[in-house]
Amino acid sequence: MSARPAAPLLPGATLGVLGGGQLGRMFVHAAQAMGYFTAVLDADPDSPAGRVSHHHVRTGYEDPAGLAELARLSDAITTEFENVPAASLAALAALRPVSPAASAVAVAQNRAEEKAHFVGCGVPCAPYAVIETAAQLAAVPAELLPGILKTARMGYDGKGQVRVQSAAELSAAWQSVGQVPCVLEKMLPLALECSVIVARGADGACVHLPVQRNLHRDGILAVTEVYEQNMPPALAHQAVAAAKSIAEELQYVGVLCVEFFVLDDGSLVVNEIAPRPHNSGHYSQNACDVSQFELQVRTMAGLPLTPPRQHSAAVMLNLLGDLWFAQGEAEQTPPWAAVLALPGTHLHLYGKREAKPGRKMGHLNITAPSAEAARATALQAAALLGLEPF
Ligand code: ATP
Ligand code: MG
């Protein structure tokens, strides 16, 4: 079945999503706001998206009966979780329009294929080597060290990554990840990190959100800043053009996030793609006239895509479970009332039952008329929450 519904699916139809995490929850909220019904597939009865959806199919991603039930309930299906087995997406695609396509998700699931795709698009990525065998390990060129060994599959938030200085450390690191297929990337001198969200329809129309400047701490996104001059405009244009060509070459339908590095020498290098809305695009909920989640709804429903317009300068602070333990061992609710007393603060919590260090619990969007004002308020909020200044 084609990824494109024959006619736009109008409000009143049911939109299905694979995965019940926070991205699914915010998708469900956006779909429901527009008058759609929603169906979520996630085995966890307490999943953030399952708990707010009209329908919740409580099975694993590979359960044939669960997938059939999701297809029965839904008029079109998308994913919020990039490690959904490609076979499950392919099985659903035989029954209902699915976007993004299994083939595009499969590229994003495997760092080796992803990098080959970047090379095919003519977009530079970090120098790398694929390591699947002991022979390939032994043949790694010395100029890739120091480097980062990344498992080809299933990495997120810096998990499945080991920084290595020498051939001996590389060999030990490959042992430590169980000799699974990996890529070794050269460690690059990063001046800054940024990302671009693009949304592409089945008709080929492609729109984008403004370029996001991202700060990571311990391999996890901490802060996103989006306003004029958040990075050199020429680089921002280059990033948007590269993101669009990556989506185009994949014949991508849906919302795609492309992460980039800007190196000390001012050059732009693509890092990785996520075949779904992304943490770095959350500011769009409050700072743009169309959010990344509404774009996901529009692409899967075959509705028109209009160029998003950012109307406020924005800073997003990620709220990890650590904040609940900022005062020591005992869990404490962060000072939401004090934070919300600041102008232009928008609190988004994902309804997770338990706070744990490193767990994404929510985010705070700060909007303001100017970059200076957004940053000043964000720094005040960060101080109240016990987050490092940036
Ligand atoms: P996520 O999916 O949450 O974005 P991930 O686990 O897939 O993360 P990457 O995006 O590959 O991980 O890397 C996480 C962070 O580690 C990057 O944002 C960057 O700060 C740093 N990093 C990754 N690769 C390199 C590199 N080649 N050189 C320098 N720093 C790097
Ligand atoms: Mg990343």
Side-chain angles (χ1 to χ4, degrees):
M1 181 163 289
S2 110
R4 180 184 204 174
L9 287 172
L10 297 176
T14 301
L15 304 181
V17 58
L18 281 158
Q22 62 267 16
L23 299 175
R25 178 182 174 100
M26 292 182 274
F27 164 78
V28 161
H29 284 152
Q32 291 179 344
M34 292 173 76
Y36 289 95
F37 293 91
T38 59
V40 167
L41 184 139
D42 192 300
D44 178 2
D46 250 0
S47 74
R51 283 168 52 207
V52 296
S53 178
H54 297 99
H55 305 280
H56 181 184
V57 181
R58 295 180 182 81
T59 72
Y61 301 120
E62 281 165 285
D63 185 310
L67 293 168
E69 177 66 359
L70 181 69
R72 189 187 68 76
L73 290 165
S74 308
D75 296 297
I77 296 167
T78 187
T79 181
E80 65 109 44
F81 173 62
E82 70 203 68
N83 290 318
V84 162
S88 301
L89 286 176
L92 287 171
L95 302 168
R96 289 288 182 268
V98 172
S99 61
S103 55
V105 175
V107 171
Q109 282 174 346
N110 184 315
R111 289 190 193 273
E113 281 187 42
E114 190 176 58
K115 287 188 159 48
H117 181 71
F118 299 149
V119 172
C121 292
V123 179
C125 61
Y128 72 102
V130 175
I131 301 178
E132 291 175 340
T133 64
Q136 287 172 323
L137 176 75
V140 162
E143 61 264 26
L144 291 184
L145 294 166
I148 308 187
L149 184 73
K150 302 182 179 183
T151 57
R153 292 183 173 277
M154 294 302 229
Y156 69 100
D157 291 347
K159 295 185 175 65
Q161 302 197 2
V162 191
R163 296 183 175 219
V164 293
Q165 300 293 327
S166 63
E169 280 185 25
L170 171 61
S171 171
W174 195 50
Q175 292 285 340
S176 76
V177 298
Q179 299 186 329
V180 295
C182 285
V183 299
L184 174 72
E185 263 179 54
K186 187 177 171 65
M187 177 77 76
L188 300 173
L190 309 189
L192 62 92
E193 297 191 57
C194 66
S195 56
V196 180
I197 307 277
V198 297
R200 188 170 179 278
D203 61 357
C206 191
V207 299
H208 65 93
L209 292 174
V211 178
Q212 297 118 207
R213 180 171 177 157
N214 302 323
L215 172 69
H216 291 81
R217 292 189 179 125
D218 301 325
I220 306 180
L221 182 67
V223 182
T224 295
E225 298 182 64
V226 195
Y227 39 74
E228 296 276 317
Q229 305 293 334
N230 63 347
M231 57 182 282
L235 278 172
H237 284 126
Q238 215 184 319
V240 169
K244 287 193 165 179
S245 85
I246 287 166
E248 187 71 29
E249 288 292 318
L250 283 170
Q251 288 295 296
Y252 194 85
V253 178
V255 171
L256 178 76
C257 179
V258 185
E259 293 181 41
F260 296 92
F261 301 142
V262 175
L263 307 187
D264 283 346
D265 67 2
S267 59
L268 184 80
V269 164
V270 63
N271 173 25
E272 61 171 353
I273 58 176
R276 51 169 172 77
H278 191 261
N279 198 162
S280 63
H282 290 352
Y283 73 100
S284 62
Q285 293 171 306
N286 302 108
C288 298
D289 58 0
V290 184
S291 77
Q292 62 171 347
F293 300 102
E294 182 174 337
L295 290 172
Q296 187 178 20
V297 171
R298 286 184 182 227
T299 53
M300 76 185 290
L303 290 171
L305 294 174
T306 56
R309 182 178 66 85
Q310 184 179 5
H311 51 69
S312 297
V315 177
M316 185 230 42
L317 303 179
N318 242 359
L319 305 175
L320 302 182
D322 309 62
L323 293 185
W324 277 250
F325 302 97
Q327 311 300 324
E329 295 280 292
E331 185 173 329
Q332 267 195 337
T333 303
W336 301 136
V339 167
L340 291 170
L342 300 170
T345 50
H346 312 268
L347 181 63
H348 298 260
L349 291 174
Y350 309 145
K352 295 186 183 177
R353 294 273 192 226
E354 202 191 340
K356 281 191 192 164
R359 177 175 279 179
K360 289 179 177 170
M361 301 300 290
H363 62 275
L364 185 74
N365 286 336
I366 296 104
T367 56
S370 69
E372 295 70 28
R375 273 188 58 86
T377 305
L379 286 167
Q380 282 179 280
L384 286 168
L385 291 166
L387 292 169
E388 295 271 306
F390 48 90

